[in-house]
Structure formats: structure tokens, C-alpha cells
Amino acid sequence: MDQLKIRGGRPLEGAVDIAGAKNAALPLIVASLLSDHPLVLTNLPAVTDVETLIALVGSYGVTVSRDQAHRVTLDARGAFNTEAHYDVVRRARATMLVLGPLLARFGTARVSLPGGCAIGARPIDLHLKALAALGAEVAVDAGYIVARAPQGLTGARIVLSSPSVGATATALMAATTASGETEILNAARDPEIADLAACLTAMGAQIEGAGSHRLSIMGRRSFRRAVHELIPDRVEAGTYAAAAAITGGRLELVGARLEHMAAECEVLERAGVRLFPTDRGLMVEGRGRLAAVDITTSPFPGFPTDLQAQFMAAMSVAEGACMIRETVFENRFMHVPELMRLGADLTLNGTNVLVRGVERLVGAPVMATDLRASVCLILAGLCAEGETVVNRVYHLDRGYEDLARKLVRCGADIERVRP
Ligand code: EPZ
């Protein structure tokens, strides 16, 4: 298994091209199943989770054609209904998002339960409740979700007990073909949900309220050919912003959108980092040692849980102490013991970590456990003395396009090796 070897201590300088958003791409790919017209997606990130989802819809008879990098045409004209096997679903949880579109298009769906993952139990009860509210019979049988709506789905009011991103996507996609109007209350307001709504609208759906807590959808049975450009990846952009901050460097994040990154930019500014928009995106300028800042993750527009690990790495070398609270996932601190191997002073207590900033980190071999934890260790390695070796970097490939090459272009001393 590949490793990344990092020799730290160099301020990063230069420009980084921000790819399309992985967490926008995944629901958009399965949304293609709703329509019997082609859907063209552009600005698609070249990451393994996207390939897994494209292979999955391909197994449903969707014709996949690629005429340019970062662009795919998904034609579900000849799609047929089949089972989403456990082997596929366990590779990428987002595959279970096929449930909504399959039920909406074919009136039945059989999809493996995704099970838990490194960061939490991740139940899907809100997805199932939303489909039941739209009139589907939903049951769990031998590890599979079995959903049926032979007469089609019926518009309804869906109140989500928490603004789950996935459950909002499931309800939104299913409601596009339900008869009559659907209201989704306490919907997720994430930019990726607004991007999904924009794409579905381009396909012919009638949706209001994208980006707000209240979505209204008027169901319809026919769609049209659509071309949709993905929004930039705010988590990738936030990761490079943290890399500039932790190395005291200066990076222009080409394509990044400040309006998607308010919470994390506010934290960086309080930590002493200078940020300003440029014609091409966002400039991030580290200015000496960071100041420690408390961070609490929460649903968008709160501080993103997907940046918690990266910002913990930055705070581990800050001046002073701070508290980092994780409120979205119950087990998202797998990176804590690994950061401590590099000399970080962290005290884990339930959903809180007390971070006492240290003068310096020292390189060591560490183990990646999930996507964001792996990039957190790379950031720590970029500022550590000596060499850090990050193992199991396949986690990284799931959500970061060309990370090592992008960092090398900005002056990092990092290489990918196969031991
Ligand atoms: C999406 O996951 C993202 N994944 C996650 O990014 C991200 O961390 C998360 O949203 C929160 O922002 C994709 O978009 C593919 P949720 P999702 O449903 O949809 C609980 C990354 O690193 N919940 O908003 O699964 C759940 O357990 C990944 O790119 C229920 O209890 O997140 C969690 O505690 C990791 N019942 C909370 O809600 C449900 O039915 C938020 O989950 C659904 C969720």
C-alpha cells in the first residue's frame, strides 16, 4: 500500500486549482437515474469515490461516456432496476443514495444497508422516514433496504429531525417524480444540496428554496437533457487554506468560493491568517505563528465537520490552548492519537479535544484511518521537523485529486512511495 513521505518546514507558495466538489458529485451521479435523457456533468473531480458511483450507475444500465477530462455523460435511457450489492455499498456509503432515484423511477428498490464507518454509526433512519412520508412501503430485509411504491410516490410534508445532508438529497430526488407538492422542512442548507437542486432543475424538476431550510418540490414525470457544472470543493479549498496557515505560507485557491467557506475563514482570521478574494478565487496568507481558536463543528453554515481534523493539526502548533468540539459525528477523532505521535498535546474527552499548542511537531510514521484524518496527518507533516510517513493513503484518493502533485507545485517536499 502506498505511503506519503513528507519532509516538513517549508512555507507553501503558489496557486492551487480547486477541483469540483466530491460531495456534490456523488448525489448528482445517481440523480442521472431519474431521467431517460442524458445528463452531462462537468468539473467532476478525479477521485475514487466518483469512479465507484459511476461504476454503480453503469451496473444499472446507464451508458457512461467521457469525451474530456472531468466531464462525463450519463445516459439512463436504457436503465433497468437491479440490486445495489453490499460489496459496492460498503466501498462508498454514498452509493445508498441510489435508493431515492430508483424508487422514483421504477417504483421499487433493493439497496444494501451501508452499515457504520470509521467516523460513526451513521444510521439512515431519516432517509427511510422521508421515503415512507412520500407513500413508500419501506422495510429492512436480510441487510437490505426494500422500498416499494407500485402506484408511484405522493407529495407530502417531510420534517427532518436534523438537517441531514444525505436524507435531504434522498427526499429531494424522490420528490421530483412524486405526484403533487412536497415540502422538506429542516432541510440541509449545504452548497452541495443547492447544487443538486440546480442540476435537477436543469433536468426539468420544479424546486424552490434551495439553500434554505424549506424546500418545495412540485413533482413531474418527465425530464430533459441537461448539462451541469459542479461547484468547487469547499472542503478541498479549506484543506489547502489550513495548509497555508500551518506552514506560514501564501496560497491562491483558484476556483474557491468564499461564500461557501464563511465559518472556516472566520476561524482562520481569528487565528491571525489573512484572507482576501482574488479574481480567480481566494488568497490565504499565513502570518507567523497561529493563535489558538476554539472550534465547534455543526451543520452548514456552521463550521464543517469535514475540516475538523485539518484545523486540529493547525491548532496543535498554535500559540495557546483551545477546545475543539465535534457535534456532527460521534467518533471523528481517530486522528488524535496519530497527531500525538507527532508530538501534539491533545486531551480527548468524549466529543471534545483540548488542544495545547506546542512549539513544534516532529516527524514519525503514522496511520491514516479515514479520508479527512489522512489529510490532517499530511498537514501536520508539512510543518513537522524531519520526516513523516503516512500509511494507508488510499483513504486520501477517495476525496483529493492529485494532492501530492498540487503540494509539490507549491514547494512542499512530499513524495508518494510504494514500499
Ligand atoms: C455528508 O454525509 C458528507 N458526505 C460527509 O462528508 C459530511 O461529513 C456530512 O454530510 C456532514 O456534513 C457526502 O456528502 C457524500 P448527514 P451524510 O446525513 O449525508 C446523522 C467526507 O469526509 N444521521 O448530514 O452521511 C448522522 O449519523 C464525508 O467527505 C442520522 O442520524 O451526513 C450524522 O451524525 C464524511 N440519521 C449526522 O446525522 C440519518 O438518516 C449528519 O449526517 C442520516 C444522518
Side-chain angles (χ1 to χ4, degrees):
M1 270 187 261
D2 287 8
Q3 299 174 322
L4 276 171
K5 289 194 174 177
I6 309 144
R7 283 161 287 274
R10 298 183 180 183
L12 298 180
E13 295 282 341
V16 181
D17 293 323
I18 301 303
K22 171 198 64 100
N23 289 346
L26 308 185
L28 290 172
I29 292 165
V30 296
S32 67
L33 283 162
L34 287 164
S35 166
D36 47 13
H37 293 271
L39 171 61
V40 183
L41 297 175
T42 66
N43 198 27
L44 211 60
V47 295
T48 57
D49 272 8
V50 163
E51 293 313 314
T52 303
L53 269 285
I54 289 177
L56 177 74
V57 294
S59 74
Y60 283 88
V62 172
T63 312
V64 177
S65 41
R66 301 172 197 247
D67 50 1
Q68 280 168 41
H70 306 292
R71 179 186 154 113
V72 70
T73 302
L74 303 169
D75 187 339
R77 203 178 324 219
F80 51 83
N81 198 355
T82 180
E83 212 170 84
H85 289 288
Y86 175 63
D87 294 343
V88 178
V89 174
R90 71 183 172 76
R91 247 186 278 134
R93 296 179 52 78
T95 48
M96 60 80 48
L97 288 173
V98 289
L99 188 60
L102 288 178
L103 190 59
R105 172 134 184 215
F106 299 110
T108 67
R110 186 177 162 80
V111 175
S112 169
L113 271 171
C117 85
I119 65 176
R122 303 186 73 174
I124 55 157
D125 54 316
L126 301 178
H127 298 244
L128 305 186
K129 281 188 191 134
L131 296 176
L134 293 169
E137 290 156 32
V138 184
V140 174
D141 164 39
Y144 280 75
I145 308 150
V146 184
R148 290 167 36 79
Q151 315 311 322
L153 296 166
T154 309
R157 167 178 283 197
I158 298 170
V159 183
L160 295 175
S161 56
S162 71
S164 151
V165 177
T168 303
T170 290
L172 179 55
M173 291 189 280
T176 54
T177 69
S179 58
E181 185 189 3
T182 295
E183 243 188 326
I184 306 174
L185 299 176
N186 199 23
R189 299 164 55 190
D190 298 53
E192 294 75 22
I193 290 290
D195 205 37
L196 175 61
C199 179
L200 292 169
T201 303
M203 292 164 71
Q206 277 179 268
I207 301 168
E208 282 165 24
S212 78
H213 268 324
R214 181 183 173 281
L215 292 172
S216 155
I217 306 106
M218 188 51 75
R220 47 182 305 140
R221 295 300 308 175
S222 65
F223 294 93
R224 57 176 178 251
R225 182 181 185 280
V227 179
H228 179 76
E229 178 179 349
L230 272 68
I231 56 171
D233 195 317
R234 63 192 166 105
V235 183
E236 185 194 24
T239 301
Y240 285 105
I246 203 172
T247 62
R250 187 172 196 276
L251 288 180
E252 184 181 13
L253 311 179
V254 179
R257 289 208 206 150
L258 188 52
E259 71 271 21
H260 294 167
M261 303 171 65
E264 51 269 41
C265 289
E266 193 259 341
V267 166
L268 285 171
E269 280 184 332
R270 282 196 287 129
V273 174
R274 185 162 172 253
L275 299 113
F276 53 92
T278 66
D279 301 347
R280 307 193 297 172
L282 187 63
M283 185 64 78
V284 184
E285 224 174 65
R287 292 189 293 184
R289 193 164 180 203
L290 297 167
V293 176
D294 290 341
I295 295 171
T296 299
T297 68
S298 63
F300 188 89
F303 186 91
T305 171
D306 295 346
L307 285 174
Q308 177 255 98
Q310 298 91 314
F311 277 59
M312 187 183 291
M315 288 298 115
S316 71
V317 288
E319 181 94 51
C322 64
M323 188 65 84
I324 297 186
R325 291 187 182 84
E326 175 56 57
T327 72
V328 178
F329 289 105
E330 70 276 15
N331 184 35
R332 201 166 202 180
F333 288 136
M334 305 283 277
H335 43 283
V336 169
E338 299 303 312
L339 277 177
M340 292 168 77
R341 287 179 52 73
L342 300 172
D345 181 348
L346 310 174
T347 309
L348 171 57
N349 179 8
T351 57
N352 302 340
V353 173
L354 173 62
V355 182
R356 292 189 187 85
V358 296
E359 292 283 335
R360 62 196 182 90
L361 298 177
V362 180
V366 288
M367 187 68 73
T369 48
D370 62 77
L371 170 60
R372 307 304 173 184
S374 55
V375 81
C376 142
L377 300 175
I378 289 164
L379 265 57
L382 288 171
C383 83
E385 280 175 15
E387 183 175 82
T388 299
V389 180
V390 182
N391 293 284
R392 295 198 188 152
V393 290
Y394 59 82
H395 288 291
L396 206 65
D397 302 334
R398 299 190 52 183
Y400 289 93
E401 179 181 307
D402 250 352
L403 181 119
R405 214 196 312 266
K406 286 183 181 182
L407 287 171
V408 165
R409 271 199 225 117
C410 298
D413 182 352
I414 180 170
E415 59 174 328
R416 188 167 179 135
V417 295
R418 181 150 302 167

